[in-house]
Amino acid sequence: MSQETAIIIDSGATRTSLILWSDGIIKFTTSHELSGAALTKAIADALKLSPDEAEKTKRICGVDPKKCKGAVARILDKAIAELAEGVIEMSSFYLSHF
């Protein structure tokens, strides 16, 4: 039997699901407020772009600091750090309860 454990991050338009998988089964899931729409809105607000322009910018630049002079990466840093904190909290919960 496999003893592997993984956290699957499924980021969607309206929310991000964190799924903890271990020993071949899903142990538990939780949702995080991070969403594709929220990231697009953050880019649109910061760069004064329309939602369509912000979506294109997000797809082209992503979080690569070498693209778009790092502007989009800087805008998304906080949201990604918050998601990372959610993953750490999920890991801590798993370690203390399972």
Side-chain angles (χ1 to χ4, degrees), residues 59-76:
R59 291 176 185 270
I60 291 168
C61 302
V63 294
D64 187 342
K66 295 177 184 171
K67 293 184 178 178
C68 304
K69 299 180 183 177
V72 175
R74 284 189 299 278
I75 293 165
L76 301 181

Side-chain angles (χ1 to χ4, degrees), residues 9-12 14-18 30-36 83:
I9 301 172
D10 179 14
S11 185
T14 60
R15 67 172 165 61
T16 294
S17 297
L18 301 175
T30 188
S31 290
H32 190 277
E33 63 189 30
L34 179 73
S35 68
L83 177 60

Side-chain angles (χ1 to χ4, degrees), residues 12-45:
T14 60
R15 67 172 165 61
T16 294
S17 297
L18 301 175
I19 304 155
L20 195 134
W21 179 86
S22 184
D23 302 326
I25 61 171
I26 294 174
K27 297 290 185 167
F28 68 96
T29 66
T30 188
S31 290
H32 190 277
E33 63 189 30
L34 179 73
S35 68
L39 296 176
T40 300
K41 183 175 180 346
I43 294 166
D45 292 348

Side-chain angles (χ1 to χ4, degrees), residues 36-41 43-44 49-62:
L39 296 176
T40 300
K41 183 175 180 346
I43 294 166
L49 300 173
S50 73
D52 287 341
E53 291 170 324
E55 181 66 28
K56 288 176 188 172
T57 301
K58 179 178 73 174
R59 291 176 185 270
I60 291 168
C61 302

